[in-house]
Amino acid sequence: MRGGSCIFPLIDIVVLDLSRLLPGPFCTMILADFGAEVIKIEAPGAGDYARHFEPKLDENSTMFHSLNRNKKSIVLDLKSEEGKKEFLKMAETADVVVESFRPGVMKRLGLDYETLKKANPSLVYCAITGYGQTGPYAQMPGHDINYISYAGLLNLMGEKGGKPVVPAVQIADIGGGAYPAVVGILLALLEREKSGKGQFVDISMMDGVLSFMQATLPNYLMKKIDAKRGKQMLSGALACYGVYETKDGRWLAVGALEPKFWANFCNGIMRPDLIPLQNEPIVQEKLKREIETIKLQKSLSEWMEIFKDTEACVTPVLDFSEMEHHQQVVARKMIQTVPVENVGEVKQIGIPIKLSDTPGKIRFEAPKLGDSRTLHE
């Protein structure tokens, strides 16, 4: 599976990727999609744990294939003197190191940032952890649910009067960890162009999640207005912003926040009398019940036909099979078909960052364990 001659923005960047599972590999996938030479450093035997998840495509999981495209793999035992020596040699000429171990692990191996930068002062070293390199929780174990819990986000997820709801995607891993890591690495590389020096990028998934709450947390910090589950403007407080069931057991998402969209929505459901009530706090629950009753009178397709030419911010809640073939997803090439050796054509998630002149590309399938083929051919 060989790519074309496109010039990628990160074509000369070499990344040593010690991470596994989701946050680190997602970060380095973005870098690899835009041309970086990402070399996965994997332990003998199992390698990246994500290889062994189910379901599998070949000997590796579908998740591993998705996250580790455009990369190559080498096997090193970093606990051995030979493995350490080889990694140090690679780090001398690398641009970036990404790891996701608990703080202190790399130091015990003799491969921490302070050691590596002596050999390569221009190295950008990014560590992705749950709680960061400092603070009393730096050594605490955790998973996505724990990071969003401490950040105060999980407490806001769910309906009024119900329990907190665990999100269906890994918010802390990807949003709080992987994407900030990409930004941090690129910022450090940009600064290196001026100073010639690398630096340490400390990414805490909990920090990243906490920073998301720009629509709620400032209200508390500055005015002591607390946030309540199911009572925020965009998570349950307003009838004009919610999800409603249809006659056929499907769901409609309504995001009619602006008055013009709300007016269009009310006219679409033949209830113009509801237009003046959009922002009246005391009637929101009654409004929701009114809309729920109305939506149950028609099927999803019937409602979409009514709103198809109307700007009311009304959308169907799609499942994967519908999303895959949706015209907007197709137009944006967010599902792509790529060949995988000894398997054939498979579908993968596309590249979410669109650059006009130097776009990213899925060039290579995920590597087998120890597959160190040259990427830039």
Side-chain angles (χ1 to χ4, degrees):
M1 190 175 159
R2 293 290 180 258
S5 59
C6 176
I7 298 176
F8 297 98
L10 300 177
I11 193 67
D12 295 322
I13 300 298
V14 175
V15 180
L16 304 182
D17 183 7
L18 293 163
S19 68
R20 49 203 178 199
L21 298 175
L22 180 55
F26 189 102
C27 163
T28 56
M29 177 193 72
I30 296 293
L31 301 177
D33 285 349
F34 287 90
E37 182 176 11
V38 176
I39 306 167
K40 288 182 68 69
I41 311 295
E42 301 189 73
D48 186 338
Y49 306 147
R51 289 183 179 275
H52 310 289
F53 291 175
E54 295 290 345
K56 287 187 169 68
L57 185 64
D58 42 24
E59 67 265 38
N60 296 311
S61 71
T62 56
M63 175 179 164
F64 181 86
H65 273 280
S66 183
L67 286 168
N68 293 284
R69 64 203 190 196
N70 294 336
K71 303 177 188 179
K72 62 182 179 180
S73 165
I74 68 169
V75 175
L76 285 181
D77 181 1
L78 297 182
K79 295 180 180 179
S80 72
E81 290 305 313
E82 183 179 351
K84 291 178 186 179
K85 183 178 179 181
E86 181 63 24
F87 181 78
L88 278 167
K89 182 179 178 181
M90 295 175 69
E92 287 176 1
T93 56
D95 297 283
V96 179
V97 167
V98 177
E99 54 101 338
S100 56
F101 300 115
R102 286 199 217 181
V105 169
M106 290 294 282
K107 186 173 183 178
R108 289 195 293 274
L109 291 172
L111 301 172
D112 58 316
Y113 174 61
E114 294 301 320
T115 300
L116 297 182
K117 79 172 183 178
K118 291 176 183 177
N120 182 0
S122 65
L123 182 70
V124 172
Y125 185 113
C126 178
I128 306 171
T129 59
Y131 302 106
Q133 299 295 306
T134 59
Y137 278 36
Q139 293 294 331
M140 288 281 286
H143 291 290
D144 200 275
I145 191 172
N146 307 119
Y147 311 139
I148 65 174
S149 169
Y150 273 123
L153 178 60
L154 184 58
N155 186 53
L156 297 180
M157 305 189 77
E159 297 184 355
K160 183 176 68 173
K163 71 176 185 179
V165 173
V166 179
V169 297
Q170 288 66 52
I171 295 175
D173 284 359
I174 296 178
Y179 273 115
V182 172
V183 173
I185 289 167
L186 295 180
L187 287 172
L189 289 173
L190 183 63
E191 196 281 331
R192 190 180 71 172
E193 292 296 310
K194 304 171 186 176
S195 69
K197 297 179 180 179
Q199 58 185 299
F200 188 90
V201 182
D202 175 7
I203 299 297
S204 156
M205 288 181 268
M206 177 182 166
D207 290 355
V209 171
L210 197 151
S211 74
F212 288 178
M213 295 184 288
Q214 297 294 332
T216 53
L217 187 53
N219 299 337
Y220 173 77
L221 295 176
M222 300 180 197
K223 301 292 290 184
K224 296 301 179 185
I225 300 173
D226 205 356
K228 300 293 184 182
R229 187 180 319 121
K231 294 185 178 181
Q232 303 310 297
M233 182 176 75
L234 301 184
S235 60
L238 298 177
C240 66
Y241 198 90
V243 178
Y244 295 96
E245 189 175 5
T246 60
K247 184 179 181 180
D248 53 345
R250 298 295 304 275
W251 299 88
L252 272 177
V254 178
L257 278 174
E258 290 79 3
K260 63 179 180 180
F261 298 144
W262 174 247
N264 291 340
F265 173 76
C266 293
N267 287 326
I269 64 173
M270 306 298 289
R271 290 295 302 272
D273 57 302
L274 302 181
I275 295 175
L277 305 178
Q278 181 182 16
N279 294 309
E280 294 293 331
I282 62 173
V283 300
Q284 292 304 306
E285 293 303 318
K286 181 180 179 181
L287 264 180
K288 290 178 189 177
R289 291 192 294 272
E290 291 270 4
I291 295 170
E292 286 169 356
T293 300
I294 294 167
K295 289 301 179 186
L296 286 170
Q297 295 172 6
K298 298 182 186 297
S299 67
L300 178 65
S301 61
E302 289 173 323
W303 282 120
M304 292 312 301
E305 181 67 23
I306 289 171
F307 285 105
K308 70 176 183 179
D309 296 319
T310 303
E311 291 191 345
C313 298
V314 174
T315 53
V317 176
L318 302 182
D319 60 25
F320 284 169
S321 66
E322 294 166 319
M323 174 278 294
E324 177 188 353
H325 301 290
H326 190 274
Q327 58 185 342
Q328 185 65 16
V329 174
V330 172
R332 297 290 291 176
K333 298 181 179 179
M334 282 308 299
I335 304 295
Q336 297 185 19
T337 301
V338 297
V340 172
E341 186 178 358
N342 298 324
V343 174
E345 297 285 322
V346 300
K347 294 176 181 177
Q348 286 200 10
I349 301 168
I351 299 169
I353 301 169
K354 316 292 188 189
L355 298 186
S356 62
D357 294 335
T358 55
K361 185 177 181 180
I362 303 176
R363 296 165 289 139
F364 306 94
E365 69 269 24
K368 304 291 192 296
L369 186 62
D371 181 359
S372 59
R373 60 192 162 183
T374 301
L375 288 182
H376 302 315
E377 293 185 355

